[in-house]
Amino acid sequence: MSGKVANGALPNGSGEHEGAEDMDLMDDGQTIHELFDGKIGLTYNDFNILPGYIDFAVHSVDLTTHLTRRIKLKAPLVSSPMDTVTESEMAIAMALHGGIGIIHSNFATVQDQVNEVQKVKRYKQGFISRPQCIKPTDTIRDLMRIKAQFGFTGTPVTDTGNVGGKLLGLVTSRDVDFISEKRWGDLIKDVMVPIEKLITAEEGTTLSHAYETLEKEKKGKLPIVNKKGELTSLIARTDLKKARDFPHSSYDEVGQLRVGAAISTRETSREAVRALVAVGVDVIVIDSSQGASLYQIELLKWIKSEFKESPQIIAGNVVTVAQAKMLIDAGADGIRVGMGSGSICITQEIMAVGRAQGTAVYQVSKYARSRGVPVIADGGIRDVGYITKALSLGASCVMMGGLLAGTTEAPGEYFWGPSGVRLKKYRGMGSLDAMEAHTSSNDRYFQNESDAIKVAQGVTATMRDRGSIHKYVPYLVRGIQHGFQDIGVKDLFTLHANVLNGSVKFERRSPNAQLEGGVHSLHSYDKRLF
Ligand SMILES: NC(=O)C1=CN([C@@H]2O[C@H](COP(=O)(O)OP(=O)(O)OC[C@H]3O[C@@H](n4cnc5c(N)ncnc54)[C@H](O)[C@@H]3O)[C@@H](O)[C@H]2O)C=CC1
Ligand SMILES: O=c1[nH]c(=O)c2[nH+]cn([C@@H]3O[C@H](COP(=O)(O)O)[C@@H](O)[C@H]3O)c2[nH]1
Ligand SMILES: [K+]
């Protein structure tokens, strides 16, 4: 589609084309280098990608990418190491859909973070690893409350009221449905099916065996116990029936889901690294807003010399080529780009330091590619089109906080906002709220007298309910595939190559063009996305 055409070849039917000048098709739009050659920082909203030619179906677009030098993913999506975004539930869901989650480090102890990594590594589809339990001395009223809140129909009874406690019985709807409200003060132990009469399975049982048992016994729930009789998980027949295939899941060499974990640049991180490596963490993210520091470089070199093979290390954050060079020289396997672009970030306002995210991703990716190191574009992803734009600028993956914070799998409970909207809390890791959460994060900030004055770099916010990752991430993936189809590229490798050789074109958009590109001129509208 390149080359020259005569103006008159356009179907204007007027016959006035005689002698018309040849027009250079390649002159239309800007190459990426032209887009960024002005000395002004651009971000995703400042440009469009121009359409190409479609000769393939949307589902055939392949989003396989590199997270780090050695780790490949089928979807270029990473969840942020933030305490309102990624713990095990989020990481499991992200990995099942081909991305990866990075467990945050704002726990009371390193062991708490290690436990979250282990939950991902031990995850097996169909097994509910944190079933809601009840104590024998609780009442029917307590059970009704659980039922109303979570909708469960079968609840295991353990001595502690938690998973891990000794299994004493199971109480189902059938056991309590016909008990009148007057008797709701009765104790669970008097209505439950006691352990002697319960069908259970031993740890290590396979899903297919569990399914056969449930079918044969006509039961809905199968508690899984260890040798000591402690409840380790629960299998629900309804879950097994709807057990899905996740053809793109991110698995490690031994078939466990992949997961990452964040660490700070403090001395104590060496202990964390040892513990995380011991439970098989795939990737460690050194978490800092300004990655070009002596602390980070020394830590990075230490990890690389101590653990030659695994794990992979993502260093950052950076926004300039000089910063990226220091971290790549020190051994980084991936580079995280973004300073102040996040939805909850106030770094550019407070520190006066940072960079427009589009320019940062373009500049750092151009350099990192020459060193064979993938870039993760972190922060400022407001919607699915922003992901496609970040990838077009050279990123191999995007990292998202806010976009995922309102989902079911994000830590924290939903609550109702003043206008009747269902919300979840979302906060910056540099917000006072997050800094004050644990002593470990406190000492990061207030380790000596000179650090006693707090300077917040983030805010505390709320996010609208976005439903489950199991619906949202497939929507994101399909949205990116549609973007690629419009651009006319079938995979990420081709996108990067065609952007660099100038066949994928861009265009800077004026403030008015930005308004035009959004929803406008309507009395009211309803924005349903999927
Ligand atoms: N991507 C972004 O734009 C931003 C992200 N954040 C997030 O907030 C959290 C905190 O970020 P930062 O404040 O950059 O954390 P940081 O731990 O890198 O820096 C906090 C302070 O501690 C100092 N420090 C770090 N390691 C040290 C060591 N070993 N010895 C002595 N002093 C040391 C630093 O120089 C700095 O003054 C992170 O989760 C980060 O991702 C915060 C601001 C911006
Ligand atoms: O200036 C900041 N102050 C903070 O307190 C803070 N906490 C997180 N982050 C960074 O923001 C990213 C998530 O951004 P989004 O919500 O836009 O996806 C994350 O992935 C981080 O890079 C912070 N930046
Ligand atoms: K910001």
Side-chain angles (χ1 to χ4, degrees):
M1 50 173 272
S2 69
K4 312 245 179 182
V5 290
N7 242 350
L10 294 172
N12 61 9
S14 67
E16 284 168 27
H17 55 271
E18 240 108 301
E21 300 267 305
D22 277 1
M23 198 174 105
D24 190 347
L25 284 186
M26 294 307 282
D27 224 21
D28 194 9
Q30 298 166 295
T31 66
I32 193 165
H33 313 297
E34 289 162 352
L35 179 67
F36 285 102
D37 71 2
K39 298 283 177 212
I40 183 168
L42 298 185
T43 191
Y44 303 131
N45 225 7
D46 290 318
F47 67 92
N48 274 322
I49 309 170
L50 299 186
Y53 175 63
I54 302 175
D55 60 355
F56 50 87
V58 71
H59 60 77
S60 66
V61 172
D62 182 356
L63 297 181
T64 302
T65 189
H66 274 269
L67 172 73
T68 62
R69 287 181 201 266
R70 269 204 342 252
I71 298 178
K72 273 186 160 185
L73 299 175
K74 299 237 175 69
L77 307 175
V78 186
S79 66
S80 285
M82 300 173 71
D83 60 9
T84 47
V85 180
T86 312
E87 290 180 358
S88 54
E89 228 179 306
M90 174 67 74
I92 288 167
M94 289 299 291
L96 283 174
H97 290 284
I100 194 166
I102 312 295
I103 308 281
H104 71 87
S105 58
N106 202 19
F107 292 96
T109 68
V110 169
Q111 190 54 44
D112 292 335
Q113 188 189 25
V114 168
N115 290 346
E116 292 301 301
V117 169
Q118 262 185 319
K119 281 185 211 160
V120 183
K121 284 294 171 194
R122 287 182 181 155
Y123 173 79
K124 278 198 255 158
Q125 224 204 121
F127 291 78
I128 305 164
S129 58
R130 275 195 297 174
Q132 188 68 40
C133 299
I134 197 160
K135 285 204 291 276
T137 49
D138 286 336
T139 63
I140 297 177
R141 187 163 289 111
D142 295 319
L143 181 72
M144 290 306 189
R145 210 176 297 129
I146 292 177
K147 200 180 150 191
Q149 192 179 350
F150 301 100
F152 299 146
T153 53
T155 306
V157 185
T158 64
D159 59 351
T160 57
N162 288 313
V163 65
K166 199 166 173 55
L167 183 68
L168 303 174
L170 186 82
V171 54
T172 70
S173 295
R174 232 179 295 169
D175 304 317
V176 293
D177 269 355
F178 297 105
I179 296 180
S180 73
E181 213 171 325
K182 276 184 277 170
R183 284 187 48 208
W184 280 13
D186 287 8
L187 298 185
I188 292 295
K189 65 174 188 221
D190 300 324
V191 291
M192 69 183 189
V193 179
I195 183 80
E196 306 80 56
K197 293 195 185 155
L198 209 58
I199 314 280
T200 62
E202 264 207 30
E203 223 177 7
T205 197
T206 63
L207 266 190
S208 57
H209 180 72
Y211 193 66
E212 278 165 31
T213 311
L214 288 171
E215 285 263 288
K216 195 171 86 216
E217 305 288 342
K218 299 202 173 6
K219 300 287 183 220
K221 295 276 157 67
L222 184 66
I224 308 294
V225 289
N226 64 18
K227 292 225 155 48
K228 289 189 251 165
E230 293 157 347
L231 179 74
T232 61
S233 63
L234 184 72
I235 293 182
R237 197 158 86 164
T238 44
D239 283 358
L240 289 187
K241 277 206 203 133
K242 61 182 186 219
R244 314 173 27 188
D245 242 10
F246 293 100
H248 301 304
S249 302
S250 312
Y251 289 120
D252 62 17
E253 294 74 15
V254 295
Q256 296 174 324
L257 290 178
R258 287 204 188 273
V259 60
I263 56 168
S264 79
T265 58
R266 298 284 170 180
E267 270 300 308
T268 47
S269 289
R270 296 188 182 200
E271 172 212 344
V273 171
R274 285 199 180 91
L276 290 164
V277 170
V279 296
V281 76
D282 296 280
V283 49
I284 283 180
V285 173
I286 307 182
D287 191 18
S288 167
S289 60
Q290 212 294 43
S293 73
L294 179 69
Y295 315 125
Q296 174 146 178
I297 289 168
E298 290 196 336
L299 180 61
L300 184 50
K301 285 185 175 160
W302 175 81
I303 303 174
K304 280 289 158 191
S305 66
E306 201 78 358
F307 306 95
K308 293 261 165 5
E309 274 308 306
S310 212
Q312 292 276 278
I313 311 295
I314 295 175
N317 280 18
V318 306
V319 290
T320 70
V321 171
Q323 286 179 300
K325 179 177 187 311
M326 287 186 226
L327 297 182
I328 294 174
D329 287 347
D333 302 300
I335 291 287
R336 186 175 165 209
V337 174
M339 188 173 191
S341 55
S343 57
I344 32 54
C345 301
I346 52 172
T347 295
Q348 292 181 13
E349 283 168 34
I350 306 299
M351 270 59 172
V353 178
R355 194 170 199 180
Q357 182 69 349
T359 302
V361 171
Y362 165 69
Q363 294 293 358
V364 175
S365 299
K366 199 165 58 158
Y367 173 73
R369 180 196 322 273
S370 74
R371 303 282 307 267
V373 176
V375 156
I376 297 100
D378 170 28
I381 301 295
R382 298 193 207 177
D383 220 324
V384 54
Y386 289 68
I387 302 177
T388 306
K389 286 183 174 181
L391 299 173
S392 77
L393 299 185
S396 293
C397 287
V398 299
M399 180 178 274
M400 297 161 291
L403 215 59
L404 308 176
T407 60
T408 317
E409 289 77 8
E413 299 300 327
Y414 285 109
F415 58 93
W416 294 98
S419 47
V421 194
R422 208 161 173 251
L423 303 169
K424 252 192 198 189
K425 182 166 157 177
Y426 177 47
R427 66 182 181 195
M429 294 311 293
S431 66
L432 289 184
D433 204 26
M435 284 194 251
E436 287 162 359
H438 297 292
T439 42
S440 60
S441 56
N442 277 341
D443 71 24
R444 178 159 95 209
Y445 284 87
F446 320 125
Q447 66 166 7
N448 59 42
E449 275 305 296
S450 68
D451 286 344
I453 301 168
K454 302 178 202 174
V455 177
Q457 290 193 67
V459 300
T460 301
T462 55
M463 297 309 270
R464 210 176 239 278
D465 179 4
R466 275 188 213 272
S468 169
I469 289 289
H470 294 300
K471 276 196 157 172
Y472 194 55
V473 170
Y475 158 75
L476 293 180
V477 166
R478 184 45 58 92
I480 304 167
Q481 288 176 314
H482 274 291
F484 276 45
Q485 191 193 37
D486 283 348
I487 298 168
V489 292
K490 274 188 86 168
D491 55 68
L492 188 57
F493 176 80
T494 311
L495 175 65
H496 284 169
N498 288 3
V499 164
L500 285 182
N501 70 25
S503 57
V504 168
K505 291 292 192 61
F506 297 83
E507 187 165 79
R508 183 83 186 270
R509 50 181 197 167
S510 67
N512 276 319
Q514 292 175 30
L515 289 177
E516 181 184 67
V519 180
H520 62 81
S521 322
L522 310 169
H523 168 60
S524 69
Y525 68 93
D526 180 20
K527 195 172 177 184
R528 277 179 63 201
L529 292 174
F530 58 97

mmCIF file of all heavy atoms in Angstrom, residues 140-174:
data_model
loop_
_atom_site.group_PDB
_atom_site.id
_atom_site.type_symbol
_atom_site.label_atom_id
_atom_site.label_comp_id
_atom_site.label_asym_id
_atom_site.label_seq_id
_atom_site.Cartn_x
_atom_site.Cartn_y
_atom_site.Cartn_z
ATOM 1 N N ILE A 140 -27.160 -20.643 64.425
ATOM 2 C CA ILE A 140 -27.776 -20.696 63.090
ATOM 3 C C ILE A 140 -27.864 -19.281 62.514
ATOM 4 O O ILE A 140 -27.686 -19.074 61.319
ATOM 5 C CB ILE A 140 -29.181 -21.343 63.179
ATOM 6 C CG1 ILE A 140 -29.031 -22.783 63.668
ATOM 7 C CG2 ILE A 140 -29.895 -21.291 61.835
ATOM 8 C CD1 ILE A 140 -30.341 -23.523 63.861
ATOM 9 N N ARG A 141 -28.080 -18.324 63.397
ATOM 10 C CA ARG A 141 -28.152 -16.927 62.929
ATOM 11 C C ARG A 141 -26.836 -16.512 62.248
ATOM 12 O O ARG A 141 -26.846 -15.851 61.212
ATOM 13 C CB ARG A 141 -28.474 -15.998 64.102
ATOM 14 C CG ARG A 141 -28.737 -14.566 63.691
ATOM 15 C CD ARG A 141 -29.432 -13.736 64.756
ATOM 16 N NE ARG A 141 -30.823 -14.121 64.934
ATOM 17 C CZ ARG A 141 -31.304 -14.731 66.020
ATOM 18 N NH1 ARG A 141 -30.510 -15.022 67.026
ATOM 19 N NH2 ARG A 141 -32.579 -15.061 66.094
ATOM 20 N N ASP A 142 -25.711 -16.928 62.832
ATOM 21 C CA ASP A 142 -24.398 -16.631 62.218
ATOM 22 C C ASP A 142 -24.311 -17.238 60.818
ATOM 23 O O ASP A 142 -23.808 -16.624 59.884
ATOM 24 C CB ASP A 142 -23.253 -17.188 63.079
ATOM 25 C CG ASP A 142 -23.173 -16.505 64.434
ATOM 26 O OD1 ASP A 142 -23.352 -15.271 64.473
ATOM 27 O OD2 ASP A 142 -22.953 -17.206 65.446
ATOM 28 N N LEU A 143 -24.819 -18.462 60.720
ATOM 29 C CA LEU A 143 -24.777 -19.142 59.419
ATOM 30 C C LEU A 143 -25.639 -18.395 58.393
ATOM 31 O O LEU A 143 -25.243 -18.222 57.241
ATOM 32 C CB LEU A 143 -25.279 -20.580 59.582
ATOM 33 C CG LEU A 143 -25.246 -21.397 58.289
ATOM 34 C CD1 LEU A 143 -23.817 -21.749 57.910
ATOM 35 C CD2 LEU A 143 -26.078 -22.660 58.413
ATOM 36 N N MET A 144 -26.808 -17.946 58.847
ATOM 37 C CA MET A 144 -27.710 -17.225 57.944
ATOM 38 C C MET A 144 -27.046 -15.945 57.447
ATOM 39 O O MET A 144 -27.237 -15.536 56.308
ATOM 40 C CB MET A 144 -29.030 -16.891 58.663
ATOM 41 C CG MET A 144 -29.883 -18.121 58.930
ATOM 42 S SD MET A 144 -30.185 -19.044 57.404
ATOM 43 C CE MET A 144 -31.391 -20.242 57.927
ATOM 44 N N ARG A 145 -26.280 -15.341 58.324
ATOM 45 C CA ARG A 145 -25.578 -14.116 57.933
ATOM 46 C C ARG A 145 -24.559 -14.429 56.820
ATOM 47 O O ARG A 145 -24.457 -13.721 55.820
ATOM 48 C CB ARG A 145 -24.875 -13.522 59.157
ATOM 49 C CG ARG A 145 -24.769 -12.009 59.088
ATOM 50 C CD ARG A 145 -24.167 -11.418 60.346
ATOM 51 N NE ARG A 145 -24.951 -11.647 61.538
ATOM 52 C CZ ARG A 145 -24.476 -12.149 62.691
ATOM 53 N NH1 ARG A 145 -23.211 -12.495 62.795
ATOM 54 N NH2 ARG A 145 -25.258 -12.311 63.730
ATOM 55 N N ILE A 146 -23.817 -15.516 56.999
ATOM 56 C CA ILE A 146 -22.834 -15.927 55.980
ATOM 57 C C ILE A 146 -23.556 -16.208 54.661
ATOM 58 O O ILE A 146 -23.135 -15.783 53.589
ATOM 59 C CB ILE A 146 -22.064 -17.189 56.434
ATOM 60 C CG1 ILE A 146 -21.172 -16.850 57.625
ATOM 61 C CG2 ILE A 146 -21.248 -17.777 55.300
ATOM 62 C CD1 ILE A 146 -20.432 -18.046 58.192
ATOM 63 N N LYS A 147 -24.690 -16.900 54.786
ATOM 64 C CA LYS A 147 -25.442 -17.268 53.586
ATOM 65 C C LYS A 147 -25.924 -16.011 52.849
ATOM 66 O O LYS A 147 -25.818 -15.914 51.626
ATOM 67 C CB LYS A 147 -26.633 -18.138 53.990
ATOM 68 C CG LYS A 147 -27.170 -18.938 52.845
ATOM 69 C CD LYS A 147 -28.346 -19.797 53.285
ATOM 70 C CE LYS A 147 -29.274 -19.983 52.106
ATOM 71 N NZ LYS A 147 -30.557 -20.561 52.480
ATOM 72 N N ALA A 148 -26.422 -15.054 53.629
ATOM 73 C CA ALA A 148 -26.933 -13.827 52.997
ATOM 74 C C ALA A 148 -25.802 -13.045 52.341
ATOM 75 O O ALA A 148 -25.932 -12.508 51.248
ATOM 76 C CB ALA A 148 -27.633 -12.971 54.038
ATOM 77 N N GLN A 149 -24.637 -13.017 53.028
ATOM 78 C CA GLN A 149 -23.527 -12.217 52.507
ATOM 79 C C GLN A 149 -22.850 -12.871 51.304
ATOM 80 O O GLN A 149 -22.509 -12.214 50.337
ATOM 81 C CB GLN A 149 -22.507 -11.958 53.622
ATOM 82 C CG GLN A 149 -21.498 -10.900 53.238
ATOM 83 C CD GLN A 149 -20.499 -10.643 54.359
ATOM 84 O OE1 GLN A 149 -20.661 -11.115 55.499
ATOM 85 N NE2 GLN A 149 -19.467 -9.900 54.051
ATOM 86 N N PHE A 150 -22.610 -14.160 51.391
ATOM 87 C CA PHE A 150 -21.812 -14.822 50.352
ATOM 88 C C PHE A 150 -22.630 -15.747 49.453
ATOM 89 O O PHE A 150 -22.158 -16.201 48.433
ATOM 90 C CB PHE A 150 -20.676 -15.634 50.992
ATOM 91 C CG PHE A 150 -19.737 -14.812 51.822
ATOM 92 C CD1 PHE A 150 -19.855 -14.780 53.203
ATOM 93 C CD2 PHE A 150 -18.741 -14.040 51.233
ATOM 94 C CE1 PHE A 150 -18.996 -14.021 53.983
ATOM 95 C CE2 PHE A 150 -17.877 -13.281 51.994
ATOM 96 C CZ PHE A 150 -18.009 -13.268 53.368
ATOM 97 N N GLY A 151 -23.831 -16.077 49.874
ATOM 98 C CA GLY A 151 -24.674 -16.945 49.058
ATOM 99 C C GLY A 151 -24.286 -18.419 49.111
ATOM 100 O O GLY A 151 -24.715 -19.200 48.278
ATOM 101 N N PHE A 152 -23.462 -18.819 50.091
ATOM 102 C CA PHE A 152 -23.044 -20.224 50.161
ATOM 103 C C PHE A 152 -24.157 -21.099 50.721
ATOM 104 O O PHE A 152 -24.916 -20.681 51.581
ATOM 105 C CB PHE A 152 -21.813 -20.387 51.047
ATOM 106 C CG PHE A 152 -20.639 -19.630 50.551
ATOM 107 C CD1 PHE A 152 -19.730 -19.069 51.436
ATOM 108 C CD2 PHE A 152 -20.427 -19.464 49.189
ATOM 109 C CE1 PHE A 152 -18.644 -18.357 50.980
ATOM 110 C CE2 PHE A 152 -19.335 -18.754 48.723
ATOM 111 C CZ PHE A 152 -18.444 -18.194 49.629
ATOM 112 N N THR A 153 -24.175 -22.341 50.249
ATOM 113 C CA THR A 153 -25.203 -23.251 50.742
ATOM 114 C C THR A 153 -24.605 -24.362 51.599
ATOM 115 O O THR A 153 -25.335 -25.099 52.241
ATOM 116 C CB THR A 153 -25.965 -23.884 49.571
ATOM 117 O OG1 THR A 153 -24.991 -24.451 48.694
ATOM 118 C CG2 THR A 153 -26.776 -22.847 48.831
ATOM 119 N N GLY A 154 -23.322 -24.494 51.621
ATOM 120 C CA GLY A 154 -22.685 -25.526 52.455
ATOM 121 C C GLY A 154 -21.460 -24.944 53.129
ATOM 122 O O GLY A 154 -20.588 -24.413 52.445
ATOM 123 N N THR A 155 -21.404 -25.005 54.451
ATOM 124 C CA THR A 155 -20.305 -24.365 55.172
ATOM 125 C C THR A 155 -19.604 -25.383 56.075
ATOM 126 O O THR A 155 -20.256 -26.005 56.919
ATOM 127 C CB THR A 155 -20.864 -23.203 56.020
ATOM 128 O OG1 THR A 155 -21.612 -22.351 55.165
ATOM 129 C CG2 THR A 155 -19.761 -22.412 56.689
ATOM 130 N N PRO A 156 -18.287 -25.557 55.926
ATOM 131 C CA PRO A 156 -17.573 -26.480 56.799
ATOM 132 C C PRO A 156 -17.508 -25.945 58.237
ATOM 133 O O PRO A 156 -17.404 -24.739 58.438
ATOM 134 C CB PRO A 156 -16.154 -26.534 56.211
ATOM 135 C CG PRO A 156 -16.219 -25.834 54.908
ATOM 136 C CD PRO A 156 -17.402 -24.935 54.934
ATOM 137 N N VAL A 157 -17.575 -26.863 59.201
ATOM 138 C CA VAL A 157 -17.484 -26.484 60.607
ATOM 139 C C VAL A 157 -16.114 -26.927 61.118
ATOM 140 O O VAL A 157 -15.774 -28.112 61.033
ATOM 141 C CB VAL A 157 -18.597 -27.164 61.431
ATOM 142 C CG1 VAL A 157 -18.569 -26.671 62.876
ATOM 143 C CG2 VAL A 157 -19.961 -26.916 60.793
ATOM 144 N N THR A 158 -15.315 -25.975 61.600
ATOM 145 C CA THR A 158 -13.998 -26.338 62.150
ATOM 146 C C THR A 158 -13.879 -25.777 63.562
ATOM 147 O O THR A 158 -14.611 -24.862 63.932
ATOM 148 C CB THR A 158 -12.846 -25.751 61.294
ATOM 149 O OG1 THR A 158 -12.922 -24.321 61.365
ATOM 150 C CG2 THR A 158 -12.922 -26.201 59.849
ATOM 151 N N ASP A 159 -12.939 -26.349 64.318
ATOM 152 C CA ASP A 159 -12.811 -25.915 65.720
ATOM 153 C C ASP A 159 -12.440 -24.435 65.840
ATOM 154 O O ASP A 159 -12.850 -23.754 66.769
ATOM 155 C CB ASP A 159 -11.821 -26.809 66.491
ATOM 156 C CG ASP A 159 -10.430 -26.819 65.894
ATOM 157 O OD1 ASP A 159 -10.251 -26.264 64.775
ATOM 158 O OD2 ASP A 159 -9.494 -27.378 66.518
ATOM 159 N N THR A 160 -11.698 -23.919 64.850
ATOM 160 C CA THR A 160 -11.290 -22.511 64.926
ATOM 161 C C THR A 160 -12.242 -21.593 64.173
ATOM 162 O O THR A 160 -12.153 -20.369 64.277
ATOM 163 C CB THR A 160 -9.906 -22.331 64.272
ATOM 164 O OG1 THR A 160 -10.004 -22.805 62.916
ATOM 165 C CG2 THR A 160 -8.831 -23.102 65.008
ATOM 166 N N GLY A 161 -13.127 -22.169 63.366
ATOM 167 C CA GLY A 161 -13.999 -21.342 62.523
ATOM 168 C C GLY A 161 -13.286 -20.874 61.270
ATOM 169 O O GLY A 161 -13.801 -20.052 60.522
ATOM 170 N N ASN A 162 -12.079 -21.411 61.043
ATOM 171 C CA ASN A 162 -11.289 -21.020 59.867
ATOM 172 C C ASN A 162 -10.775 -22.242 59.137
ATOM 173 O O ASN A 162 -10.695 -23.335 59.720
ATOM 174 C CB ASN A 162 -10.080 -20.178 60.281
ATOM 175 C CG ASN A 162 -10.481 -18.798 60.735
ATOM 176 O OD1 ASN A 162 -11.267 -18.127 60.067
ATOM 177 N ND2 ASN A 162 -9.993 -18.402 61.886
ATOM 178 N N VAL A 163 -10.375 -22.035 57.876
ATOM 179 C CA VAL A 163 -9.693 -23.100 57.151
ATOM 180 C C VAL A 163 -8.372 -23.357 57.874
ATOM 181 O O VAL A 163 -7.780 -22.444 58.445
ATOM 182 C CB VAL A 163 -9.494 -22.693 55.669
ATOM 183 C CG1 VAL A 163 -8.571 -21.512 55.544
ATOM 184 C CG2 VAL A 163 -9.004 -23.851 54.839
ATOM 185 N N GLY A 164 -7.942 -24.622 57.930
ATOM 186 C CA GLY A 164 -6.723 -24.950 58.695
ATOM 187 C C GLY A 164 -7.076 -25.525 60.063
ATOM 188 O O GLY A 164 -6.281 -26.219 60.686
ATOM 189 N N GLY A 165 -8.297 -25.254 60.524
ATOM 190 C CA GLY A 165 -8.739 -25.828 61.803
ATOM 191 C C GLY A 165 -9.191 -27.270 61.616
ATOM 192 O O GLY A 165 -9.329 -27.752 60.480
ATOM 193 N N LYS A 166 -9.403 -27.983 62.755
ATOM 194 C CA LYS A 166 -9.824 -29.388 62.665
ATOM 195 C C LYS A 166 -11.271 -29.446 62.148
ATOM 196 O O LYS A 166 -12.155 -28.748 62.644
ATOM 197 C CB LYS A 166 -9.745 -30.018 64.052
ATOM 198 C CG LYS A 166 -9.709 -31.521 64.023
ATOM 199 C CD LYS A 166 -9.284 -32.060 65.380
ATOM 200 C CE LYS A 166 -9.414 -33.568 65.426
ATOM 201 N NZ LYS A 166 -8.685 -34.270 64.371
ATOM 202 N N LEU A 167 -11.494 -30.286 61.135
ATOM 203 C CA LEU A 167 -12.834 -30.377 60.550
ATOM 204 C C LEU A 167 -13.754 -31.175 61.473
ATOM 205 O O LEU A 167 -13.445 -32.306 61.850
ATOM 206 C CB LEU A 167 -12.766 -31.049 59.173
ATOM 207 C CG LEU A 167 -14.113 -31.128 58.441
ATOM 208 C CD1 LEU A 167 -14.594 -29.742 58.023
ATOM 209 C CD2 LEU A 167 -14.035 -32.047 57.224
ATOM 210 N N LEU A 168 -14.885 -30.604 61.868
ATOM 211 C CA LEU A 168 -15.815 -31.255 62.795
ATOM 212 C C LEU A 168 -17.130 -31.619 62.127
ATOM 213 O O LEU A 168 -17.864 -32.477 62.640
ATOM 214 C CB LEU A 168 -16.099 -30.320 63.981
ATOM 215 C CG LEU A 168 -14.865 -29.868 64.764
ATOM 216 C CD1 LEU A 168 -15.254 -28.832 65.813
ATOM 217 C CD2 LEU A 168 -14.195 -31.074 65.429
ATOM 218 N N GLY A 169 -17.450 -30.993 61.016
ATOM 219 C CA GLY A 169 -18.711 -31.296 60.338
ATOM 220 C C GLY A 169 -18.965 -30.348 59.190
ATOM 221 O O GLY A 169 -18.082 -29.572 58.799
ATOM 222 N N LEU A 170 -20.183 -30.422 58.649
ATOM 223 C CA LEU A 170 -20.574 -29.541 57.549
ATOM 224 C C LEU A 170 -22.030 -29.179 57.779
ATOM 225 O O LEU A 170 -22.820 -30.014 58.210
ATOM 226 C CB LEU A 170 -20.432 -30.294 56.222
ATOM 227 C CG LEU A 170 -20.673 -29.471 54.958
ATOM 228 C CD1 LEU A 170 -19.413 -28.690 54.583
ATOM 229 C CD2 LEU A 170 -21.059 -30.376 53.791
ATOM 230 N N VAL A 171 -22.376 -27.934 57.536
ATOM 231 C CA VAL A 171 -23.765 -27.553 57.698
ATOM 232 C C VAL A 171 -24.255 -26.976 56.376
ATOM 233 O O VAL A 171 -23.605 -26.106 55.783
ATOM 234 C CB VAL A 171 -23.954 -26.597 58.909
ATOM 235 C CG1 VAL A 171 -23.064 -25.388 58.837
ATOM 236 C CG2 VAL A 171 -25.402 -26.181 59.063
ATOM 237 N N THR A 172 -25.362 -27.517 55.885
ATOM 238 C CA THR A 172 -25.869 -27.087 54.574
ATOM 239 C C THR A 172 -27.244 -26.443 54.738
ATOM 240 O O THR A 172 -27.867 -26.561 55.793
ATOM 241 C CB THR A 172 -26.016 -28.289 53.614
ATOM 242 O OG1 THR A 172 -27.101 -29.093 54.077
ATOM 243 C CG2 THR A 172 -24.750 -29.111 53.549
ATOM 244 N N SER A 173 -27.703 -25.823 53.672
ATOM 245 C CA SER A 173 -29.034 -25.195 53.679
ATOM 246 C C SER A 173 -30.092 -26.191 54.130
ATOM 247 O O SER A 173 -31.003 -25.864 54.880
ATOM 248 C CB SER A 173 -29.415 -24.732 52.285
ATOM 249 O OG SER A 173 -28.558 -23.735 51.894
ATOM 250 N N ARG A 174 -29.944 -27.417 53.619
ATOM 251 C CA ARG A 174 -30.929 -28.441 53.929
ATOM 252 C C ARG A 174 -31.079 -28.656 55.444
ATOM 253 O O ARG A 174 -32.148 -28.963 55.936
ATOM 254 C CB ARG A 174 -30.511 -29.747 53.255
ATOM 255 C CG ARG A 174 -31.634 -30.337 52.421
ATOM 256 C CD ARG A 174 -31.188 -31.605 51.762
ATOM 257 N NE ARG A 174 -30.112 -31.373 50.793
ATOM 258 C CZ ARG A 174 -29.417 -32.356 50.238
ATOM 259 N NH1 ARG A 174 -29.619 -33.598 50.585
ATOM 260 N NH2 ARG A 174 -28.476 -32.085 49.351
#
